[in-house]
Amino acid sequence: MEQKTGFIYDESYFWHDTGNGALFLPPGGWIEADEHGESPKSKRRVKNLLERTGFIEELKVMKPRSATKEEVERNHNPSYVEKVKALSDADGGDAGELAVVGRGSYEIALLSVGGAITGVDAVMEGTVQNVYALTRPPGHHAEKELGMGFCLFNNVAIAAHHAREKYGLKRILILDWDVHHGNGTENAFYDDPEILTISIHQELNFPPNRGYAEHLGEGAGEGYNVNIPLPAGTGNAGYYYALEKVVFPIAEQFKPELIIVAAGQDASVFDPLSRMLVTADGYGKIAALVKELAKKLCDGRLVVCHEGGYSAAYVPFCSLRIIESLSGLKSKVTDDPYYEAIKSLPTDVLAKHQVEAIEKVIEIQSSFWTFTINA
Ligand SMILES: [Zn+2]
């Protein structure tokens, strides 16, 4: 029998205080105070849904350890780490661009990084078949010297450093399906051929002027940075197509020893910070496809770390479907409760302009990788 899927979280993840902004802006001027867009709510509701459905019993619940400063500094400049700590020890502030630090956020961020590291250890040591870590604060926008987009420390990048350092891995794939570009992870490994970074995102969303398909990596890392910008309105069908036509052929040639996913559920049809059409079932299938890839290429070694996702109502169902796919089991939630509201949307239609966007990536990437062009 297959081992359980690991589920990693800590109550502290929900105590990282992003304040009373509205969406991503601080209150003041014409902005009435509200709940910040990156509030604990969506992630707490993931855990709540797992408990309410009883599905958490099917998982191996694991507590994260804290990352050490040394581990964080494998990816971040010490002066930046110190800056986050100083803000956290005082009354909070911004660690860069829209990177909210609350009182005590530094320790919680270390625990969030530690969740990704704990996930790597569990998968590498084979105590679970794969892992879903409910990491918060998120990490994929955090660059070496700059917090950005609600991210303080780059969880997945530091986890990849850890995997390389501790287990001597030579080829790690970081797949980022958050709807925003994984600029922090790109920044971490841009000249590094051992860590292949692939980001699938809504084109020209966030950060500004990043995530172009032409950004290929540099030096020894040239060809090991893959950006797949998709047009607004892309749904499940476009994501499956991008996986099948671009991600899988590249991964099969790269032959990763471990796959880490920066899993943002903010490409969902209800997300306020994007314009995409992925459904909960779509996320489930995306995760199932990636699980198959991991089985084929690296004995199933797969660590999924939660990034964005701002529809508190819908994210829990997206994450539930992902976790079901990772475990190979089904929960009691047989149907998407929001199905009536989404059934008439073109979530499963592959539009011509979406195919063209993906073909453009293939054309650019074909200097480095081989693709089979067909229908
Ligand atoms: Zn995002």
Side-chain angles (χ1 to χ4, degrees), residues 337-353:
Y338 293 88
Y339 179 71
E340 284 302 314
I342 57 180
K343 67 179 183 187
S344 62
L345 298 171
T347 58
D348 289 288
V349 175
L350 182 63
K352 189 163 172 277
H353 68 288

Side-chain angles (χ1 to χ4, degrees), residues 102-122:
R103 187 185 277 270
S105 289
Y106 175 74
E107 285 75 18
I108 301 173
L110 292 182
L111 211 48
S112 187
V113 174
I117 289 176
T118 301
V120 166
D121 284 338

Side-chain angles (χ1 to χ4, degrees), residues 44-203:
R44 190 186 280 285
R45 287 170 67 113
V46 170
K47 189 208 66 156
N48 290 350
L49 185 62
L50 291 173
E51 287 184 344
R52 175 84 168 106
T53 57
F55 198 67
I56 201 159
E57 302 297 330
E58 307 291 348
L59 309 172
K60 182 178 163 75
V61 178
M62 302 163 70
K63 289 292 162 199
R65 70 164 167 89
S66 286
T68 64
K69 195 159 175 278
E70 186 191 24
E71 285 168 336
V72 173
E73 287 177 357
R74 281 183 190 141
N75 193 64
H76 296 283
N77 189 307
S79 64
Y80 171 69
V81 176
E82 199 43 54
K83 178 181 176 181
V84 174
K85 184 172 186 311
L87 287 171
S88 166
D89 288 346
D91 285 328
D94 193 332
E97 298 169 7
L98 303 174
V100 186
V101 178
R103 187 185 277 270
S105 289
Y106 175 74
E107 285 75 18
I108 301 173
L110 292 182
L111 211 48
S112 187
V113 174
I117 289 176
T118 301
V120 166
D121 284 338
V123 162
M124 291 306 298
E125 286 157 18
T127 56
V128 292
Q129 61 160 318
N130 46 40
V131 154
Y132 190 94
L134 193 59
T135 36
R136 180 174 184 272
H140 75 143
H141 292 308
E143 302 204 336
K144 289 175 186 171
E145 303 181 28
L146 186 69
M148 203 190 280
F150 320 147
C151 298
L152 304 183
F153 300 141
N154 196 317
N155 304 321
V156 293
I158 300 166
H161 280 292
H162 172 75
R164 177 156 63 179
E165 198 81 17
K166 182 166 177 186
Y167 302 99
L169 302 189
K170 291 283 173 227
R171 293 179 311 280
I172 299 168
L173 165 61
I174 300 179
L175 172 63
D176 186 324
W177 73 47
D178 187 285
V179 78
H180 306 107
H181 176 235
N183 63 290
T185 319
E186 174 180 280
N187 168 259
F189 303 114
Y190 207 56
D191 58 358
D192 191 333
E194 295 184 353
I195 318 265
L196 169 63
T197 52
I198 304 182
S199 175
I200 309 177
H201 47 267
Q202 183 188 332
E203 65 180 351

